[in-house]
Structure formats: C-alpha cells, structure tokens
Amino acid sequence: MIKKHMKTIIISSILTLLPIVAGLILWNKLPANLTTHFGADGNPDGWSSKAFAVFGLPCILLAVNWLCIFFTLKDPKNQGQNDKAIGMVLWIMPILSWLVSGMMYSVAFGKTMKLPFFVMLLLGVLFLVIGNYMPKCKQNSTIGIKIPWTLGSEENWYATHRFAGKVWVAAGLVMLAGAFLPEKAIPWILLAVLPVFIFAPMIYSYVYYRRQVNAGKAPEKAKMIN
C-alpha cells in the first residue's frame, strides 16, 4: 500500500514543508517572535521564536502526516480502500500547513485576521468534503466511525456511514452559514453542531445494531458487544 501511494506521499510531504521556503524568503522581514496561537475570540495569545515558527511547525505537521499515513496504509483492511478516502488522509496536513503558515505570516506583517470567520469557513468546507466521501469509506480500523457496532458488522458500518455523511454535510452547511453571522454567535453554533455530528452517528449505529439483534441478523461479533 505504501509503495502504491509513494509518489503522492512524496508530493504531499514536499507541499507540507513548502511554507519553510516562504519563511526563508521573508526571513529578514519577519519579527523575532511570531504569533502561533489564537484565543477563542480570534486574538493572538501565543508566540514562538522565528526559527520554530518557520521550521518547527511544518516539520511537526510533516511528522503527524507520516504517522497518519503509516497507520492508515498499514491497516490490512485498507488494502481495497476507496482512493478518495485515502486521499483525505494524504492531503489534510499539507493543506493545514499552508493555512497555518499563511495566517502566521499575514499577522506578522500586520494584517488583521478574522479568525472565527476563517475557522468556520474551513470547518464548513472540511465537513462537506468528508461528509461526501464518508459513505464511500470501506470498513477498516483507522478511517471512519470506529465503534463496536460498526466494526462488528459490515452492514452496520455502511448504514452508519451513509447516515453520518448526511449529518456531516448538514453540519458543514450550518458552519458555512454561521461564518457570516456576528462573531459572538460562532462559539454557540459550534457548541450546538459539534455534539450532533459526534454523537448522532454513534446513536444511529447502536439503534441499527439493536434492530439487527431483534431481527436475529446481528453477526456473532456484534452480538458479543452489548
């Protein structure tokens, strides 16, 4: 699996580190310390040295990227996994690296960032993409909704992920709309949406499992989990 995706892994790794090049070009114009953390209100509340911001953050994201790729591609159940589902794992960190570095350099040059707006926009797009790909994800141990009832029944897995896909798309649309509301409303939108997209698929999966049990169709693995 790793050999099959090696070309994409190399490209995604290079793209994850590419913001370092931008940092080197801007090096002499950057301040000694750069903003690397923002509070819930969108205001800067954490700073790091220029060296760590330019070199450290992309390298940390690259290490996380490699770990995610390794565990995903080493999972035997992912041998026949949908390429789009694997693609999400391969490209999330490069995109995140560009976004984080872009915001960091923008703030360093005095640009004002409406962080809550951009976070909601990013989350909305992310949820829409994942929600669309989720029903295509085959049963495995690393990607998707990995709870006892989905892992114990392939039928439950597909039913739960079809349902979850709809929930995540709906959550994405709510977040996209919420990005244009006053900033004070954004934390409340997140508090309302996050529990729904986390717990609704889990509840659905358990209800589906109980229906299988009542119909005498629950697989032996699933029957052991009650």
Side-chain angles (χ1 to χ4, degrees):
M1 279 286 283
I2 291 178
K3 287 182 178 180
K4 176 184 175 183
H5 296 280
M6 183 56 71
K7 182 179 178 181
T8 308
I9 292 172
I10 292 171
I11 294 171
S12 70
S13 298
I14 292 171
L15 290 176
T16 303
L17 293 177
L18 202 57
I20 293 177
V21 177
L24 289 173
I25 294 171
L26 300 170
W27 185 267
N28 292 330
K29 297 179 181 179
L30 293 172
N33 295 295
L34 279 76
T35 301
T36 51
H37 192 272
F38 296 85
D41 57 359
N43 293 318
D45 65 356
W47 293 264
S48 299
S49 68
K50 179 163 58 174
F52 177 81
V54 172
F55 297 103
L57 289 179
C59 288
I60 289 170
L61 291 172
L62 178 63
V64 174
N65 191 35
W66 282 351
L67 280 173
C68 293
I69 290 170
F70 176 80
F71 286 113
T72 300
L73 298 184
K74 280 295 183 180
D75 183 353
K77 290 187 175 181
N78 277 327
Q79 294 299 317
Q81 186 58 265
N82 186 285
D83 285 341
K84 291 180 179 179
I86 297 293
M88 284 193 298
V89 177
L90 293 172
W91 292 111
I92 283 178
M93 287 303 159
I95 293 170
L96 186 60
S97 180
W98 280 55
L99 289 171
V100 168
S101 297
M103 288 193 297
M104 185 174 65
Y105 294 144
S106 295
V107 171
F109 286 103
K111 302 289 185 181
T112 55
M113 297 291 297
K114 292 185 178 180
L115 190 64
F117 170 79
F118 285 109
V119 168
M120 288 292 281
L121 214 59
L122 175 62
L123 286 175
V125 172
L126 186 65
F127 275 55
L128 284 174
V129 172
I130 295 176
N132 275 288
Y133 286 155
M134 196 171 279
K136 303 178 180 73
C137 185
K138 297 180 181 178
Q139 191 182 40
N140 69 97
S141 305
T142 49
I143 307 172
I145 301 168
K146 303 174 295 296
I147 53 178
W149 310 294
T150 56
L151 294 175
S153 165
E154 193 170 9
E155 182 183 334
N156 191 307
W157 174 279
Y158 284 115
T160 299
H161 281 73
R162 283 195 296 270
F163 173 78
K166 296 174 183 177
V167 171
W168 279 53
V169 167
L173 292 173
V174 170
M175 288 184 178
L176 286 176
F180 297 94
L181 295 176
E183 288 188 3
K184 290 182 179 179
I186 288 177
W188 295 104
I189 295 171
L190 288 174
L191 284 173
V193 171
L194 293 180
V196 174
F197 90 83
I198 292 172
F199 294 110
M202 296 172 66
I203 294 169
Y204 178 90
S205 181
Y206 179 73
V207 171
Y208 194 93
Y209 160 70
R210 293 307 310 174
R211 288 176 182 171
Q212 284 183 303
V213 170
N214 293 337
K217 295 179 180 179
E220 289 303 315
K221 272 188 181 179
K223 286 180 181 178
M224 295 170 64
I225 307 164
N226 194 351

